[in-house]
Amino acid sequence: MDTCEEKKNLLLEMIAYATIDGQLSKKGYDFLFLIANELNFEKGGFINLLGEELPSLSGNMKLIRIKQFYQLVVFFQNDGVLYKQDPELIIHIAISMGLDLEAIKILLKKVKNSPNSIIPDDVLLSIFQE
């Protein structure tokens, strides 16, 4: 995830997912602000995203949540360096998203062992359905 546009789209999807009845809770805002900081967005850039049109979230919400988490994991491992605090932060984020801890661990291993970090949607979903 090298481009600013990819990071922006990821954040917009996460904002859309966290927005309920047109409102973003304080907890949701704080969580997304933390993600925005990790993606090197300045506060003003993040606040501007909140005013943009959000993508529609049709389809399987669980798969959407899993794919968002997967994208975040790929971002963290994109440079090939996993800092000391990264695994703990990744797990905290996944649990906050309501994802299963054992499935998270399996996904982290698969991403680490995958030469290009690409895991198809059906495999992602199967990991979280086991």
Side-chain angles (χ1 to χ4, degrees):
M1 186 176 309
D2 295 326
T3 70
C4 184
E5 192 65 29
E6 288 175 317
K7 293 176 184 180
K8 176 184 168 185
N9 290 336
L10 173 62
L11 269 175
L12 283 172
E13 286 179 5
M14 295 179 84
I15 291 167
Y17 175 73
T19 301
I20 301 170
D21 295 331
Q23 299 291 318
L24 182 61
S25 70
K26 170 138 177 47
K27 183 178 177 182
Y29 175 90
D30 291 344
F31 171 71
L32 290 170
F33 187 69
L34 172 74
I35 299 295
N37 284 335
E38 289 294 321
L39 294 174
N40 295 321
F41 269 80
E42 293 182 10
K43 185 175 182 179
F46 175 69
I47 291 172
N48 289 340
L49 284 180
L50 296 174
E52 290 196 21
E53 184 176 338
L54 299 177
S56 63
L57 297 177
S58 59
N60 184 335
M61 290 302 288
K62 182 174 183 178
L63 180 58
I64 291 169
R65 200 170 49 225
I66 291 167
K67 286 175 67 173
Q68 287 174 336
F69 174 68
Y70 165 66
Q71 290 171 339
L72 190 64
V73 169
V74 170
F75 168 75
F76 269 92
Q77 296 193 8
N78 189 34
D79 60 0
V81 178
L82 201 58
Y83 296 98
K84 185 178 179 180
Q85 73 275 10
D86 287 352
E88 185 177 312
L89 179 60
I90 291 169
I91 289 173
H92 177 73
I93 290 168
I95 291 171
S96 296
M97 294 175 77
L99 299 175
D100 178 70
L101 182 59
E102 292 305 313
I104 296 164
K105 291 176 183 177
I106 292 169
L107 178 62
L108 290 173
K109 285 180 187 174
K110 282 195 179 289
V111 169
K112 184 177 182 179
N113 294 329
S114 176
N116 58 9
S117 297
I118 297 175
I119 299 175
D121 289 352
D122 58 330
V123 174
L124 283 174
L125 194 54
S126 71
I127 290 170
F128 286 88
Q129 288 178 336
E130 293 178 359

